[in-house]
Amino acid sequence: MRQLLLLRGTFNVLFAGYLLIAPKDTMLGGYYGVIDGALALLLAVALFQSVRGRWLFFIVLLDGIVRLAFGGMLLLNPNITTNLLTGAFFATAVITVFIALGITGVLYGVVHSFKEQGHSGSPQSLVWPAVVASVSTALFGVGLILGPSGSVERRFVVVAYGLVFGLTLLFAGIRLRSSAALPEA
């Protein structure tokens, strides 16, 4: 699980850095969605196999499916945003899903934190990263709605999201190592 967190975090940070210097490429979002979605699904499997991470399985599985669907849609339909109606529908759907996914993740983290608060020795190493990643996902959706309207400026919203999300996963992977001595049962 730790290696997948570190790999997914590194991928997101590198993607954000590449996005800053890359020429405008419509396929870039599709590749990002498919690769990050596949990494999320692998992480979901690892979480399901871990007793202390099982509570995160559903949200990470949902995250992986959404990212795979988003990336696949962009790869299969690279001109999806050229038709005004289709582009508006697609953008609205993506933004709504990111906001809903973020809110769901925050609720999962808060509920889990309250449930586990009374248990001594309960690992909390995955709670704060789940909440921070979920807040950044919801803010990404809100940023796409309320943020700048130009494509260059929106690119910075995506870069900021990729950096915050990726760094959160990296820190979770690093912190998971330090709490690896905690019992799984």
Side-chain angles (χ1 to χ4, degrees):
M1 182 168 34
R2 178 176 181 266
Q3 292 82 5
L4 287 170
L5 281 169
L6 294 172
L7 179 63
R8 190 169 180 212
T10 301
F11 174 72
N12 275 272
V13 169
L14 290 175
F15 173 76
Y18 178 72
L19 193 58
L20 279 173
I21 61 172
K24 187 175 178 181
D25 184 0
T26 57
M27 300 298 281
L28 198 58
Y31 294 127
Y32 167 74
V34 168
I35 294 169
D36 194 45
L39 290 172
L41 290 180
L42 290 173
L43 183 58
V45 170
L47 286 166
F48 186 75
Q49 293 173 348
S50 168
V51 172
R52 66 180 177 176
R54 195 167 290 153
W55 67 275
L56 266 174
F57 167 75
F58 175 74
I59 194 69
V60 175
L61 177 67
L62 184 61
D63 180 48
I65 291 169
V66 165
R67 290 172 192 272
L68 273 174
F70 168 72
M73 180 74 77
L74 285 177
L75 288 176
L76 293 174
N77 302 303
N79 297 325
I80 198 165
T81 57
T82 57
N83 179 325
L84 183 61
L85 183 60
T86 305
F89 175 75
F90 181 72
T92 303
V94 168
I95 290 168
T96 303
V97 168
F98 273 110
I99 292 171
L101 191 59
I103 291 170
T104 303
V106 169
L107 292 176
Y108 258 64
V110 169
V111 167
H112 179 74
S113 182
F114 282 127
K115 280 176 41 179
E116 297 297 320
Q117 206 168 27
H119 295 80
S120 61
S122 174
Q124 295 290 318
S125 60
L126 295 175
V127 174
W128 74 265
V131 171
V132 171
S134 297
V135 167
S136 70
T137 300
L139 288 177
F140 174 62
V142 171
L144 290 176
I145 293 173
L146 303 176
S149 60
S151 63
V152 173
E153 293 87 5
R154 280 187 178 231
R155 197 174 215 182
F156 290 120
V157 172
V158 176
V159 167
Y161 169 68
L163 282 174
V164 171
F165 189 76
L167 289 173
T168 301
L169 294 177
L170 283 171
F171 287 132
I174 292 168
R175 184 167 173 166
L176 189 62
R177 178 178 176 207
S178 66
S179 66
L182 293 173
E184 288 254 342

